Amino acid sequence: MAQAQRHSGHTGAARSVEDHAAEVTELLGPLLTRPSETVRLDDALGRVLSYDVSSPVDLPLFRNSQMDGFAVDAASVANVPATLPIAATVPAGPAEPAPHVPATAVRIMTGAVMPEGADAVVPVEDTEVSDGKVTVQRSRGVGDFVRERGSDVRTGMLLLPAGTLLEPRHLGVLAAVGLSSVAVRTRPRVAVITTGAELVDTGTTPGPGQIYDSNGVALAASLRADGAEVAVVDRSTDEPDAFRATLRRAIARTELVITSGGVSMGDYEVVKDVLAELGARFGPVAMQPGGPQGLALVDETPVLTFPGNPVSTMVSFEVFLRPLLRRAAGLPPIDRADAVLDHDLTSVPGKRQFLRGRRTDSGVEVVSGPGSHLVAALAWADVLIDVPADVTTLAAGERVKVWPL
């Protein structure tokens, strides 16, 4: 691997969340402007349109019946009851429009081609049929229950503007005008590497001192939910050569690498040891949880290193990466609003706290202590409560900033 670039050196003093976030934004800057790619409609759900899409056709494509009933000329049913001979039957399906004979009726099904010259449809419930004739009980005017060509969409009409996040209803209209593919923003290709000799796969039986690798699952799911393509999910031991090999494989396939673990102050911090040799920057950020952070540019590929405790990992993702991923993918930003605090709380001085919280009928409440190992509370939470670094106490009724999870 080539030398890491731009982000070199180690920092002892804790940086602010804002300063580290600005550095992450600078590092990921080239990823934020995305090229487009063409995908089939089957693969377009949840993607973001690169360009405006206009209709190539009229809708309806042809003049057709809105109801099961009888196609007539309105003048022949102006006075009711009116009895007309049934000249033909037109089912829905391929057909050339037949000429309509005035003062007759054509039995017609919903969506079937209207006979040329017929200008109204009488619903079947307003008729009685006997001996090859239909008696119309209610008069109808010109255009009643007739779908004219182009009455919904005209050729060239703007259907969806660039930047639309494609949902099922959007795919439906694209298919209705005959489009089989669409140009969308490419998604950042991201690798996840978890580290630690203690990690084992879910579904296995851990031995003494081993724990399940939850960070790989949680980070990959978070990345996908916020518009990334997860190309690699891998795990490394605490051996430097093993991590180098894992990192090399990830860089070869992706635009961004996220690691968890191996960046704290103890021994066997494999991510820190290996990337420091390549000029990466590590240093504490004045936040809790998630203080140990690092970043590097290795072979022109950004690498973000998150701490390994599960809550720290996920809070790091929420604070530093999620907003940028959504911006790169063209997804709308997350609305960080205010809420009323349900109870008093205290906070550690000098560190910005991101407390796991839950919305209530009256505001928001903290659902656990600050421990970065308390994973169940993260599942119970639906927001992070953002407590500034210079605030040590907040009283019930005060307003706090909350970040939706």
Side-chain angles (χ1 to χ4, degrees):
M1 286 181 291
Q3 184 78 3
Q5 305 163 34
R6 286 173 35 191
H7 299 279
S8 60
H10 293 260
T11 304
R15 287 170 288 162
S16 69
V17 170
E18 292 82 0
D19 285 347
H20 188 67
E23 197 164 0
V24 172
T25 301
E26 179 188 1
L27 180 68
L28 269 57
L31 275 67
L32 300 182
T33 302
R34 308 299 306 169
S36 67
E37 63 178 344
T38 300
V39 300
R40 292 182 55 81
L41 291 191
D42 289 347
D43 299 319
L45 182 65
R47 304 296 294 274
V48 176
L49 279 181
S50 294
Y51 309 107
D52 292 349
V53 176
S54 298
S55 178
V57 297
D58 291 338
L59 282 186
L61 292 167
F62 52 87
R63 192 165 175 264
N64 67 85
S65 175
Q66 186 178 334
M67 302 285 287
D68 291 336
F70 292 87
V72 299
D73 54 291
S76 66
V77 295
N79 299 307
V80 292
T83 300
L84 308 173
I86 300 173
T89 297
V90 181
E96 292 293 332
H100 173 71
V101 177
T104 68
V106 172
R107 190 190 300 270
I108 196 166
M109 309 307 159
T110 302
V113 177
M114 284 289 293
E116 292 284 356
D119 55 19
V121 172
V122 180
V124 68
E125 55 265 32
D126 294 336
T127 65
E128 294 180 2
V129 176
S130 179
D131 297 329
K133 297 180 179 180
V134 59
T135 298
V136 176
Q137 305 291 351
R138 180 178 176 182
S139 62
R140 292 294 176 183
V142 173
D144 283 2
F145 300 114
V146 177
R147 299 167 177 160
E148 297 292 342
R149 175 173 178 156
S151 57
D152 181 18
V153 172
R154 287 289 188 185
T155 300
M157 178 186 292
L158 176 65
L159 293 177
L160 300 172
T164 299
L165 175 62
L166 293 172
E167 298 183 8
R169 65 183 187 277
H170 302 128
L171 301 183
V173 73
L174 295 176
V177 298
L179 296 176
S180 61
S181 60
V182 67
V184 296
R185 291 170 69 106
T186 56
R187 297 176 294 188
R189 297 188 316 280
V190 186
V192 174
I193 302 174
T194 57
T195 64
E198 73 278 14
L199 300 178
V200 297
D201 290 333
T202 57
T204 63
T205 301
Q210 293 183 318
I211 61 174
Y212 293 118
D213 181 4
S214 63
N215 286 345
V217 173
L219 277 173
S222 297
L223 289 163
R224 293 185 183 103
D226 288 293
E229 175 188 342
V230 180
V232 173
V233 180
D234 210 340
R235 185 164 68 234
S236 172
T237 67
D238 293 325
E239 293 296 325
D241 286 344
F243 177 70
R244 289 188 188 97
T246 304
L247 180 62
R248 188 177 298 112
R249 290 194 300 270
I251 285 174
R253 295 179 56 191
T254 60
E255 301 171 88
L256 170 64
V257 177
I258 310 299
T259 70
S260 74
V263 294
S264 295
M265 301 301 291
D267 297 330
Y268 308 107
E269 302 295 346
V270 66
V271 174
K272 196 172 188 179
D273 293 344
V274 170
L275 290 181
E277 297 171 356
L278 298 175
R281 173 170 178 166
F282 295 93
V285 174
M287 63 186 286
Q288 190 180 44
Q293 297 289 335
L295 68 172
L297 189 66
V298 181
D299 292 349
E300 301 300 324
T301 301
V303 180
L304 294 186
T305 69
F306 294 156
N309 277 317
V311 178
S312 296
T313 297
M314 294 312 298
V315 169
S316 299
F317 173 85
E318 292 288 336
V319 174
F320 298 119
L321 185 54
R322 189 184 189 194
L324 297 177
L325 272 184
R326 295 184 68 83
R327 180 174 156 192
L331 300 176
I334 300 298
D335 182 22
R336 297 172 181 173
D338 287 347
V340 175
L341 192 61
D342 278 358
H343 51 74
D344 299 345
L345 65 78
T346 59
S347 182
V348 177
K351 289 188 176 181
R352 188 167 169 184
Q353 297 285 317
F354 293 94
L355 302 174
R356 282 140 283 176
R358 179 169 51 211
R359 294 186 184 274
T360 68
D361 291 341
S362 56
V364 66
E365 63 181 4
V366 177
V367 297
S368 80
S372 58
H373 64 292
L374 303 174
V375 293
L378 186 61
W380 301 332
D382 55 22
V383 296
L384 293 177
I385 301 173
D386 184 357
V387 182
D390 59 352
V391 173
T392 56
T393 60
L394 286 167
E398 292 195 66
R399 300 193 71 81
V400 290
K401 183 73 71 179
V402 296
W403 298 30
L405 293 172

